[in-house]
Amino acid sequence: MSEAYFPVGPGLGLEENFLSLDDILMSQEKLPGRAESSLPRLACALGQGAGTGDSVPEGSKLEIPLWLAKGLHDSKRRIISVELPKIYKEAWRTVFSADANVVDLHKMGPYYYGFGSQLLNFDNPENPEIAQTILQATSVLPVSNSAYLLQTFISRFRRIMDSSQNAYNEDTSALVARLDELERALFRAGQKGLNDFQCWEKGQASQITASSLVQNYGKRKFTDIDG
């Protein structure tokens, strides 16, 4: 039976994949910011007024969804400025560099890695430091950022995979409670690999058969010999 929905992975890097439910949810995360100029008819959308025609005065502090902040941000026209969420500031970067495993990433931000990489879209003097904390691999960001590799992720990766490989037929809710959504997906992948291996050891795995492509190739070869 075919599935009604085939999960689409997140875009990661600087661009979201809007076919991905994870990216859609991530784009709703709020950023602290400030209106650098008056924003007509946006007060209601930004929670600054009751009427749809109200404007946001210049200098107002804002909580802006990521998708809207990216749309309004323009380095030439100062429409809004965006501040770093506290988990990406220097104090928390120090915690991550000391011991990333102690942090409850899901509580601080369920899309820590993806949301952090989106912050690099904004002109922030701390971008290099953020990039060093949430460094993305070549397959995630453009080639110009190929040196980026998840330092925080690397610090937590071994423990995540060890946990996923040593929890067979157990309640894993406590193990995944502190993980961000990307880490949870990796934990599930590790669990699936463990379960598949256990099934194979017990002889419960599906029998391996030759693909139809190989079978058809063999039939054609024998036909050529008979001819």
Side-chain angles (χ1 to χ4, degrees):
M1 188 172 114
S2 62
E3 296 183 36
Y5 170 72
F6 293 94
V8 177
L12 296 176
L14 297 177
E15 296 298 332
E16 305 105 307
N17 180 349
F18 286 106
L19 295 177
S20 165
L21 292 179
D22 282 331
D23 275 358
I24 292 171
L25 293 172
M26 180 192 68
S27 70
Q28 300 296 325
E29 294 283 315
K30 299 290 184 67
L31 277 169
R34 189 166 69 95
E36 298 294 341
S37 60
S38 178
L39 303 176
R41 298 184 298 278
L42 282 179
C44 185
L46 296 173
Q48 298 286 318
T52 55
D54 294 345
S55 298
V56 177
E58 181 180 346
S60 300
K61 290 187 176 181
L62 306 169
E63 288 286 326
I64 319 168
L66 172 64
W67 64 268
L68 183 57
K70 289 177 68 174
L72 293 176
H73 182 259
D74 189 325
S75 57
K76 296 179 180 178
R77 296 174 55 208
R78 297 284 291 175
I79 301 174
I80 62 165
S81 59
V82 171
E83 301 173 10
L84 291 180
K86 65 179 182 179
I87 195 173
Y88 300 101
K89 291 184 177 180
E90 183 178 3
W92 276 102
R93 293 200 302 267
T94 303
V95 172
F96 283 121
S97 62
D99 187 357
N101 290 298
V102 304
V103 182
D104 186 341
L105 276 191
H106 201 268
K107 181 178 179 181
M108 300 302 294
Y111 300 98
Y112 172 76
Y113 300 108
F115 193 72
S117 64
Q118 290 294 311
L119 296 178
L120 303 180
N121 282 292
F122 304 101
D123 300 323
N124 191 296
E126 295 184 64
N127 273 358
E129 288 76 18
I130 297 172
Q132 287 296 324
T133 304
I134 313 178
L135 297 176
Q136 301 289 334
T138 309
S139 60
V140 173
L141 286 184
V143 175
S144 59
N145 295 312
S146 60
Y148 290 170
L149 190 61
L150 297 168
Q151 287 184 347
T152 300
F153 179 75
I154 289 171
S155 300
R156 295 165 62 95
F157 178 75
R158 183 181 294 276
R159 180 171 294 185
I160 293 169
M161 297 313 294
D162 284 348
S163 298
S164 72
Q165 297 298 296
N166 289 287
Y168 184 63
N169 287 337
E170 298 177 20
D171 181 6
T172 60
S173 56
L175 295 174
V176 301
R178 297 164 62 88
L179 306 182
D180 122 299
E181 291 298 326
L182 174 62
E183 293 174 336
R184 289 184 176 191
L186 288 168
F187 184 90
R188 290 192 296 268
Q191 283 272 281
K192 183 180 184 304
L194 175 62
N195 291 333
D196 289 348
F197 178 71
Q198 294 290 340
C199 289
W200 176 80
E201 276 197 322
K202 296 174 183 178
Q204 299 172 347
S206 301
Q207 184 177 0
I208 298 175
T209 59
S211 71
S212 59
L213 181 66
V214 173
Q215 291 175 345
N216 291 335
Y217 176 77
K219 290 178 182 177
R220 288 199 303 271
K221 192 171 183 181
F222 285 126
T223 302
D224 293 341
I225 294 173
D226 291 341

